[in-house]
Amino acid sequence: MPASQKTARRPLLVTSATLLSLSLTSLSTLTAAPAFAAKPSPSSSASPSASPSTSPSATPPATMSTVGGELLGKPGTQATLGGDAPVLPKGISARSWIVADAETGDVLAAHNAHWRLAPASTLKMLFADTLLPKFNRDDEHKVAPADLAGVGSGSSMVGIKENETYTVHDLWLGVFLRSGNDAVHVLSAMNGGVKQTVADMNAHAEELQALDTRAVSPDGYDAKGQVSSAYDLTLIARSGLQKKDFREYCSTVRAKFPGETKKGKNGKKSRSSFEIQNTNRLLTGDSGLDSYQGIAGVKNGNTTNAGATFTGVAERDGRVLLVTVMHPEKDEHNQVYKETASLFDWGFKAAGKVTPVGELVAPKGADTSGEGTAEPSAQAGATASASASGGAGGKSVAARASGGGGGVGVALGIMGGVLVLLAGGVFLVNRKWPLRGKK
């Protein structure tokens, strides 16, 4: 693929109160290091178009896409560290990863950024970014048996029942929190079917210049030829975070989901609900794993073919970073989250001390006039209020930080133990295309 021209960068304006002042989790001792491009260990190679390999000895192709910069097309680790920059964390076993500044688009460091690998449920970010604008969140849909046809065996499910009615809001909660393939298929049916949805996703990926990505299933379930890359998943997440509903759903920790309608002894019908929790362990925490300070989404995935994959967004001290980690070789519990946290920690310490090795490119149709547009403040405030309350029983990271349980670290200020919000604002991302004055 041809190298892209240097595109204009775009700002992410994160509207929040005074940021968390808690100390960072310490990394292993980090010292300055020169620029380098580590070479992959020798073993069998694969072409960029080949199906992803699950062999532990798999290595990236010798040449990959150069979208975003020439260095990003090279195999191995790419980083240019200044004299006072911390070295990259040790023990990162992922086949591919990337650390990027979400505001400027600068890629701070990367490892096999354009290696085309199976994405698992992180592909749901593309699904959401493609379909979210198509439906009103209050729209209702009665699920027909055909809507659930083709859901893969062993899929993650939220528990949708045939002949029950759900709002679009319910369905998106099922997609983001439980990674429900059943919810994905129902929304796909509403969009004209799986085939149409996959076509829409691939067209949107091309528009975003996520050219390593090829969707075959809308939910990320293993399928022959279905690939993405750490670079593309980061690009897709950045695009999705410009949508207010995307931000709300990916940061919601727990919510109530409609259950099955039942008829009582008196013949009266009733419908209960049950709680669902986000499967993003950096958001919720887990046994032996704390929630990550400043985390605000985005999406995790795990299949036999893809291994564990994760894209996350976090903010500290006014800086917003995106990290994607694909297929750690270490087979340890929560390894993908541990490696992501280490890369986040490095990124926040290294920001401003490294020379970018590439950039996250703008969509093909992005405004490059220097003006751009941002989400209206009134609309953003309404989003914040809805997200802070969790909407329809949901609890966002903002609500959780103010006492919702679990001590989730969020990109918001805590002063004197009180959560301070600007006009009810939670993690708001209002980006202009591009950042004025930067070409």
Side-chain angles (χ1 to χ4, degrees), residues 10-329:
R10 300 78 68 191
L12 277 147
L13 305 181
V14 181
T15 303
S16 62
T18 306
L19 298 174
L20 291 170
S21 59
L22 301 175
S23 61
L24 296 175
T25 302
S26 62
L27 283 170
S28 301
T29 303
L30 301 177
T31 57
F36 68 95
K39 296 181 180 179
S41 57
S43 84
S44 59
S45 61
S47 68
S49 61
S51 297
S53 170
T54 56
S55 167
S57 62
T59 56
T63 58
M64 294 173 280
S65 168
T66 55
V67 170
E70 294 291 336
L71 286 177
L72 299 181
K74 296 182 178 181
T77 302
Q78 308 301 326
T80 305
L81 311 182
D84 58 346
V87 297
L88 289 162
K90 296 179 180 179
I92 303 298
S93 67
R95 293 182 178 179
S96 177
W97 56 260
I98 192 169
V99 181
D101 187 308
E103 180 179 4
T104 64
D106 289 337
V107 176
L108 306 185
H111 180 76
N112 301 325
H114 281 290
W115 191 0
R116 303 178 77 190
L117 299 165
S121 285
T122 49
L123 193 66
K124 288 184 173 76
M125 294 189 296
L126 177 61
F127 172 78
D129 196 35
T130 303
L131 262 64
L132 268 169
K134 296 192 176 190
F135 308 111
N136 186 301
R137 61 192 282 142
D138 296 322
D139 290 347
E140 295 185 342
H141 178 78
K142 185 175 182 179
V143 177
D147 295 348
L148 299 174
V151 176
S153 175
S155 289
S156 54
M157 309 279 266
V158 67
I160 289 173
K161 302 296 183 183
E162 296 176 1
N163 300 315
E164 293 284 5
T165 299
Y166 300 86
T167 65
V168 166
H169 177 70
D170 293 331
L171 296 172
W172 282 119
L173 286 172
V175 171
F176 277 89
L177 273 66
R178 293 302 304 167
S179 202
N181 290 4
D182 48 355
V184 169
H185 277 254
V186 173
L187 286 163
S188 296
M190 295 172 63
N191 187 55
V194 167
K195 184 177 180 180
Q196 179 61 54
T197 299
V198 168
D200 290 346
M201 290 168 65
N202 284 322
H204 187 53
E206 184 175 354
E207 164 61 23
L208 294 178
Q209 299 198 66
L211 304 181
D212 299 324
T213 300
R214 179 173 176 258
V216 177
S217 67
D219 49 27
Y221 189 84
D222 285 338
K224 184 178 181 180
Q226 182 158 271
V227 290
S228 190
S229 66
Y231 181 89
D232 280 14
L233 292 176
T234 307
L235 207 64
I236 292 164
R238 193 183 190 210
S239 175
L241 287 166
Q242 306 322 302
K243 296 175 173 61
K244 59 190 180 74
D245 285 346
F246 189 105
R247 296 192 299 270
E248 175 188 339
Y249 293 132
C250 79
S251 67
T252 299
V253 175
R254 55 168 53 96
K256 294 293 185 180
F257 194 81
E260 191 172 2
T261 300
K262 295 182 178 180
K263 186 180 292 186
K265 293 181 180 179
N266 59 1
K268 187 177 181 180
K269 292 182 178 180
S270 63
R271 191 178 187 187
S272 60
S273 61
F274 57 92
E275 185 176 276
I276 58 175
Q277 187 179 58
N278 204 308
T279 55
N280 174 356
R281 299 309 181 203
L282 285 189
L283 192 65
T284 65
D286 195 18
S287 176
L289 181 75
D290 293 334
S291 57
Y292 190 81
Q293 178 190 331
I295 194 73
V298 180
K299 190 71 187 76
N300 56 308
N302 197 325
T303 68
T304 301
N305 193 40
T309 61
F310 180 68
T311 297
V313 62
E315 176 187 5
R316 285 187 187 172
D317 301 324
R319 189 179 298 276
V320 186
L321 298 183
L322 283 161
V323 171
T324 295
V325 172
M326 299 187 77
H327 204 146
E329 297 288 2

